[in-house]
Amino acid sequence: MTISSFLFFVLAILAAYVYRVLPKKLRNYWLLILSAGFIATWSYEFLLVLVVFALINYSIGIKAETAVHPRKWVITGIAFNIFFLLLFKYQKFYLPGLESLLLKNGWMSAGGALSFLVPVGLSFLVVQVISYLIDISNQRLKAERDLIKFGVYVLYFPKLLSGPIERARLFLPRLDAPILFDRVLAQRSLSLILTGLFRKMVFADPLFGMIPENAFITPQNYAGQHLFFWLLAYALALFNDFAGYTSIVRGVSLWFGIELANNFNLPYLSRNFTEFWNRWHISLSTWLRDYIFFPLSRSLMRHYTERNNFWNLVVPPVVTLLVSGLWHGLSWGLVAWGGLHGLYLIFERFSGLFRPFVPFEEQPRWQQNLGIALTFTLTTLAWIPFRMDIPVALSYLTGLFKWVKPDYFLFRRYVMGDTEFLSWSPLNLPNPFLLLVLSAAIGYDILVNHKGSEKELRSFQQVIQIVFLVVLFSFALFSIFADATTPFVYQGF
Amino acid sequence: MTKSPNIAENIEAQKPRRFTLFTSLWISLLILAGLLVLTESLSRIASIQNRLAMRSVGNYHAQFEIKWFKLQDYVLENDGVDVILLGNSMVNTGIDPEVFAEEYQQVTGADLRVFNFGVEGLTVAPNSSLVQLLVETYQPKTLIYFTEMRDYVAMNGLKEEETFLSNDWLMYRLGKQNIKGWFIDRSTAIQMLLPFRGWTRSDFLDNYVLNLRRVKITQPNGYEPETRTRQDIDVRPDPSSPADKPFFELFQNFTIDPQRVSDLHTILSKQEFQTNVFVSEIPVYFTFYDYFGGETVHQDYLKEISKIVIDYGGFFVPPVDPDLIPLDGRADRLHLNIQGADIFSKLLAGKFSSMCLQEHKCLDFPLR
């Protein structure tokens, strides 16, 4: 069941109502049943696998607190979770070898194939439980004895598919004291859901749809201007899709009185890469910061006490972002994406050494805008290896500079009616619908930007709220007849 | 000093009330409802309808939609339809209803209102559903269904059939009730907006322009003239060529699929609704039968299919001799061009008019 489906909302409303009327001690049971049911709509096998996953982590968590050598248990737990992730998610890298081994020894018949279904949201679950175990180890958290509560922490359905990645020390107390669902919260929840749907239906789906399937497979077949606009479309679609998703699940979670972390804060308006990583996929980047960047920096500082030492400046950002790339998937393209962002951060750190620190707010407006333009451009270029394998990415990158002159003469003849309008493609002009949605998506982010934070829908002027809602409902209504919805991209990670 | 309750109430009433998101939600829903009513009203104005030439019922098959709305207009214009020519793209480009009707009128004296409903890619399976729709909606006096060997190959056209028939509107019209289909059927605004439903697709503009052109080219009687001449007609298909190989694989070892025969029976069963059903074939160039194993396989097929039609109580009209169509009248092995269509329409009308005069099997009155 997808979270933008009508059925999901209807069932979630009913589930929230039951949650409210249930006695407090039964509410977590209900959340666990709901989450299990939600997973089962994808696959019963997923449910089984994830229950086993949760039970093992529950046991390791307790051992990590009570055993004579707790650290060993934490390391075992981390190793188990990484193995679990590798086993399912990176199967395409080891299954062919395993298949040939089995075939060679006659343990598998020719024509057979091995494959596992990857449980939904696995990458997100793994990093969550790793943080849980590390926090226990660092005595920042007590191991959760209540199996039901732990089960809800791991499997809670609004955050299951693509996060946000929640820390147990923040999430578990919320289960004991859910926020009172009053008119204010209802309005906030509605605001989040509508914003999420707007980002998904008005920006993300159309932009993804307008990129041809082969653009990221055979970019050499297309003119540079098309590749340019499709890359922009991809960057904005990816953001709106994921930000939309997060906004919806946060809104739905509020129906159960549980606040989920924010994941995005207008990242494309960041003025440098440090700011970008504080605004993009926030729950993952703070996880990486707390469990990789800081420990690594501290460890290096013990060896190289000088703060501006080369290794102290280079190693933490590069390693952190390479891990981020690998978390998304095992491919050279994703490694390159992480590496590029690592390089961006290193460059920023080194250039910071040679000029005095001036807070953004004190910088002239042009300098801030230049920072935004530069950060957005480089971030967008980094999406090329994120989306494609390295050889295709290189082809795309070179293709970006091979613009073909549009046929304005033919266009003029079409407009004047001198020749019959037979096809748009030969004009080599960008799709006007694409330009329209791109402009709207960029314009929207500028509109909702209030001193560096995203303004919520409920605090818009009423006229703007109404226009927003009419546009959203029109799109929703039209999409019912057009069948144009696409699944959330980050569900694939 | 405290204010009196009345004054306090007054002050409270004059305070600007803080609107909430809920208020905006209701207002926007009201505005949306208003906009929908306005759009529906505007879409029913003739001048606007003329400007937006494309209409759609949400079916993936754009040519079916073009034909459907052309037929709707044709019936309004001519106060009904007598003969509907049904089949695939070969019918679409192969028969000019005007020439056919004129020729038929000259011999028999009967004025026929003829519409060409040939839709490319549709085999006998989707056509059996289409026939139900056409007969129930327009009650034509006669259906002439042009079938061919490819219709009876079990694996041919399955995907097209599935996507064509999964359309909500079509399902609704065929008796499977659903809200979406109901709305599409009743709302002119939706029908006018649906051609834009693919606006988020990368190929939308090209497809839209192409379909718009087809709307313009397709005549009010459904005929879509083909202007190309002779493509690969003399070249025999080569089993080793990558282009021909899939067709050899699909059509070799030809047998008539029983399920497809049952679909043909469905078409023939419309005779019970006072609609004559004739079955015939478009004359294709002989090299086409190489895919099936040669002309003898075709002759065997013709014997078998005519027996199936006659056994079911239908009328089988033997195909026109393909040699009567010159090579210049062909666009390719299968399709006739505008010249070929002119010749074939006359020959076909000749066949039907002589059937009318000699066997009293006429197209303008029920034979049962």
Side-chain angles (χ1 to χ4, degrees):
Chain A
M1 190 192 300
T2 57
I3 63 131
S4 57
S5 67
F6 182 68
L7 183 66
F8 174 84
F9 283 106
V10 171
L11 292 178
I13 289 169
L14 289 174
Y17 177 74
V18 174
Y19 178 83
R20 294 279 148 198
V21 295
L22 275 176
K24 249 185 175 173
K25 60 181 178 184
L26 293 180
R27 286 180 173 181
N28 288 338
Y29 285 91
W30 179 234
L31 287 180
L32 193 59
I33 291 167
L34 287 175
S35 303
F38 181 68
I39 300 166
T41 64
W42 292 82
S43 150
Y44 287 106
E45 286 92 341
F46 288 173
L47 180 59
L48 190 71
V49 170
L50 292 180
V51 165
V52 171
F53 172 81
L55 281 172
I56 292 173
N57 276 293
Y58 170 77
S59 310
I60 295 174
I62 291 174
K63 285 282 181 191
E65 191 178 73
T66 56
V68 186
H69 301 292
R71 204 156 183 84
K72 277 186 186 168
W73 280 101
V74 173
I75 292 167
T76 309
I78 293 171
F80 161 75
N81 284 301
I82 292 172
F83 171 75
F84 203 78
L85 189 67
L86 291 172
L87 179 73
F88 283 98
K89 203 168 166 196
Y90 304 132
Q91 50 183 286
K92 71 173 178 179
F93 291 94
Y94 68 84
L95 281 185
L98 188 64
E99 272 173 12
S100 62
L101 190 75
L102 293 173
L103 274 169
K104 209 172 159 183
N105 290 299
W107 294 328
M108 200 175 88
S109 55
L114 293 173
S115 75
F116 303 126
L117 285 174
V118 185
V120 286
L122 189 65
S123 310
F124 294 88
L125 299 184
V126 164
V127 289
Q128 273 186 150
V129 290
I130 287 178
S131 72
Y132 168 74
L133 295 174
I134 295 174
D135 283 357
I136 292 172
S137 160
N138 293 339
Q139 296 182 335
R140 278 186 291 206
L141 173 74
K142 285 202 167 300
E144 181 56 59
R145 281 351 192 238
D146 184 340
L147 182 59
I148 301 301
K149 261 178 81 180
F150 183 77
V152 175
Y153 166 60
V154 178
L155 305 175
Y156 182 51
F157 75 96
K159 69 173 177 63
L160 181 85
L161 298 178
S162 313
I165 297 160
E166 290 291 336
R167 307 291 173 83
R169 64 174 187 272
L170 299 172
F171 185 87
L172 287 168
R174 289 179 202 151
L175 292 179
D176 294 327
I179 316 165
L180 182 71
F181 192 77
D182 56 8
R183 204 176 158 79
V184 176
L185 197 68
Q187 205 180 164
R188 201 167 144 240
S189 136
L190 186 68
S191 175
L192 283 167
I193 292 169
L194 292 170
T195 307
L197 288 173
F198 191 84
R199 284 198 181 276
K200 169 82 175 150
M201 298 177 98
V202 181
F203 301 139
D205 284 351
L207 287 174
F208 275 133
M210 283 186 257
I211 306 170
E213 275 177 34
N214 286 333
F216 298 146
I217 300 169
T218 50
Q220 65 277 12
N221 295 345
Y222 301 97
Q225 61 265 42
H226 294 310
L227 297 181
F228 173 80
F229 286 110
W230 292 334
L231 183 61
L232 269 184
Y234 180 73
L236 284 155
L238 191 68
F239 159 59
N240 280 289
D241 188 76
F242 198 13
Y245 165 86
T246 310
S247 195
I248 294 169
V249 295
R250 289 181 71 214
V252 170
S253 184
L254 287 179
W255 296 349
F256 300 90
I258 297 168
E259 176 95 49
L260 293 179
N262 191 10
N263 246 351
F264 293 93
N265 183 21
L266 305 174
Y268 290 144
L269 297 182
S270 305
R271 289 156 287 194
N272 66 19
F273 287 97
T274 310
E275 193 183 22
F276 176 81
W277 282 106
N278 285 322
R279 288 166 160 230
W280 175 273
H281 202 172
I282 299 166
S283 65
L284 177 68
S285 49
T286 50
W287 188 96
L288 291 165
R289 183 195 65 194
D290 293 349
Y291 298 101
I292 293 177
F293 186 91
F294 283 162
L296 196 59
S297 298
R298 280 195 294 268
S299 165
L300 283 166
M301 286 283 276
R302 272 182 231 125
H303 290 89
Y304 313 103
T305 47
E306 186 71 30
R307 202 167 172 271
N308 293 339
N309 175 277
F310 177 81
W311 298 111
N312 285 341
L313 288 172
V314 169
V315 177
V318 169
V319 172
T320 305
L321 284 152
L322 284 177
V323 171
S324 175
L326 289 171
W327 176 85
H328 284 85
L330 206 58
S331 81
W332 288 113
L334 290 167
V335 170
W337 171 75
L340 269 176
H341 272 283
L343 284 178
Y344 295 159
L345 282 175
I346 291 168
F347 180 78
E348 209 163 272
R349 294 180 122 207
F350 274 104
S351 63
L353 296 176
F354 305 106
R355 55 190 160 88
F357 173 75
V358 182
F360 287 127
E361 288 68 30
E362 291 171 23
Q363 289 177 8
R365 193 68 229 169
W366 69 265
Q367 204 174 332
Q368 292 186 44
N369 288 340
L370 186 69
I372 291 172
L374 201 65
T375 310
F376 178 66
T377 307
L378 293 174
T379 305
T380 303
L381 286 173
W383 290 127
I384 299 176
F386 181 87
R387 177 64 182 75
M388 288 159 254
D389 288 335
I390 296 287
V392 187
L394 288 173
S395 171
Y396 199 100
L397 195 65
T398 48
L400 274 176
F401 300 98
K402 291 177 188 162
W403 285 44
V404 176
K405 195 181 169 209
D407 195 341
Y408 295 117
F409 178 70
L410 182 62
F411 184 65
R412 195 174 154 271
R413 284 175 62 85
Y414 279 166
V415 173
M416 303 299 284
D418 294 342
T419 186
E420 197 179 3
F421 203 170
L422 296 175
S423 179
W424 179 264
S425 298
L427 296 173
N428 268 317
L429 283 167
N431 178 347
F433 292 106
L434 180 77
L435 297 184
L436 188 74
V437 182
L438 274 177
S439 319
I442 294 168
Y444 178 78
D445 277 1
I446 293 169
L447 180 80
V448 298
N449 178 27
H450 179 69
K451 293 178 182 167
S453 292
E454 181 171 347
K455 206 154 77 171
E456 275 189 43
L457 170 63
R458 63 191 172 129
S459 51
F460 288 4
Q461 280 179 2
Q462 190 165 27
V463 179
I464 299 176
Q465 266 183 17
I466 291 167
V467 171
F468 174 101
L469 291 168
V470 170
V471 171
L472 172 64
F473 293 146
S474 307
F475 268 74
L477 204 61
F478 195 54
S479 75
I480 290 173
F481 293 98
D483 294 328
T485 46
T486 50
F488 289 101
V489 172
Y490 253 73
Q491 279 176 203
F493 291 112
Chain B
M1 199 174 81
T2 54
K3 287 172 187 153
S4 74
N6 279 347
I7 294 169
E9 271 173 33
N10 225 351
I11 291 169
E12 188 62 29
Q14 281 174 22
K15 263 188 191 170
R17 283 192 174 272
R18 264 186 68 82
F19 66 87
T20 66
L21 188 55
F22 299 113
T23 320
S24 302
L25 193 73
W26 293 121
I27 294 172
S28 61
L29 285 172
L30 278 174
I31 291 174
L32 187 74
L35 281 173
L36 290 176
V37 171
L38 184 72
T39 316
E40 187 62 43
S41 315
L42 289 172
S43 70
R44 288 167 189 262
I45 296 170
S47 59
I48 291 176
Q49 284 186 354
N50 293 339
R51 277 183 178 275
L52 290 168
M54 289 265 286
R55 278 173 285 169
S56 168
V57 288
N59 197 296
Y60 96 97
H61 208 309
Q63 201 191 28
F64 159 74
E65 301 194 318
I66 293 172
K67 293 280 172 115
W68 176 257
F69 286 106
K70 288 267 178 190
L71 177 59
Q72 206 174 67
D73 295 343
Y74 182 88
V75 168
L76 276 175
E77 185 92 358
N78 297 282
D79 206 22
V81 60
D82 299 314
V83 179
I84 295 179
L85 309 168
L86 207 64
N88 57 23
S89 56
M90 288 151 66
V91 176
N92 177 46
T93 57
I95 310 169
D96 183 342
E98 199 181 316
V99 175
F100 179 86
E102 212 175 277
E103 190 72 13
Y104 189 85
Q105 196 268 342
Q106 275 179 16
V107 181
T108 63
D111 271 326
L112 290 178
R113 294 163 297 180
V114 186
F115 190 88
N116 181 330
F117 211 100
V119 178
E120 58 195 28
L122 294 195
T123 62
V124 65
N127 265 314
S128 63
S129 301
L130 191 53
V131 161
Q132 185 189 333
L133 181 69
L134 292 171
V135 169
E136 282 175 9
T137 315
Y138 295 112
Q139 297 94 35
K141 289 178 182 142
T142 296
L143 278 172
I144 307 177
Y145 177 54
F146 294 87
T147 187
E148 49 135 336
M149 292 177 81
R150 291 181 299 177
D151 283 331
Y152 302 95
V153 176
M155 298 307 290
N156 187 34
L158 286 180
K159 201 178 160 210
E160 287 82 359
E161 179 190 339
E162 195 189 320
T163 39
F164 176 74
L165 294 176
S166 63
N167 173 234
D168 291 300
W169 173 83
L170 194 61
M171 286 199 285
Y172 169 77
R173 290 297 294 253
L174 294 174
K176 288 179 191 161
Q177 298 297 319
N178 67 83
I179 295 174
K180 221 163 118 177
W182 185 89
F183 268 109
I184 295 172
D185 195 53
R186 275 161 177 75
S187 166
T188 317
I190 293 176
Q191 289 175 12
M192 294 195 129
L193 287 171
L194 277 178
F196 300 98
R197 69 189 181 279
W199 73 279
T200 60
R201 288 177 54 96
S202 59
D203 55 1
F204 169 72
L205 276 169
D206 284 335
N207 284 333
Y208 185 78
V209 169
L210 183 80
N211 289 332
L212 208 59
R213 189 165 170 264
R214 292 194 91 165
V215 171
K216 273 169 79 179
I217 289 173
T218 306
Q219 295 180 357
N221 57 24
Y223 170 54
E224 187 180 343
E226 169 66 71
T227 49
R228 288 177 302 156
T229 305
R230 296 179 66 170
Q231 286 182 2
D232 304 334
I233 297 174
D234 292 332
V235 184
R236 298 197 83 118
D238 174 11
S240 61
S241 113
D244 289 328
K245 205 177 166 190
F247 297 112
F248 276 102
E249 282 169 3
L250 186 63
F251 300 133
Q252 67 187 359
N253 307 321
F254 172 78
T255 50
I256 293 178
D257 177 46
Q259 178 54 46
R260 300 291 175 102
V261 171
S262 135
D263 291 328
L264 180 64
H265 286 164
T266 310
I267 294 176
L268 292 166
S269 69
K270 298 304 160 207
Q271 293 175 122
E272 291 159 21
F273 298 90
Q274 301 288 304
T275 296
N276 307 321
V277 181
F278 291 88
V279 177
S280 190
E281 189 183 69
I282 301 272
V284 304
Y285 197 66
F286 75 96
T287 52
F288 171 68
Y289 296 114
D290 285 1
Y291 292 121
F292 297 85
E295 180 58 31
T296 47
V297 182
H298 175 232
Q299 289 305 325
D300 292 343
Y301 152 80
L302 275 181
K303 274 182 211 153
E304 211 172 332
I305 209 75
S306 58
K307 188 173 179 305
I308 290 168
V309 173
I310 293 162
D311 285 353
Y312 203 80
F315 304 106
F316 186 79
V317 183
V320 166
D321 181 359
D323 292 340
L324 295 174
I325 314 282
L327 278 179
D328 283 352
R330 294 184 181 277
D332 54 35
R333 288 180 193 126
L334 293 164
H335 300 90
L336 302 180
N337 62 21
I338 191 161
Q339 281 168 269
D342 188 68
I343 297 167
F344 177 61
S345 304
K346 283 177 185 160
L347 290 168
L348 190 72
K351 253 184 185 281
F352 276 99
S353 47
S354 57
M355 271 172 67
C356 177
L357 296 175
Q358 289 162 19
E359 301 170 41
H360 303 292
K361 287 176 185 169
C362 300
L363 300 175
D364 53 343
F365 60 83
L367 298 169
R368 284 169 184 274

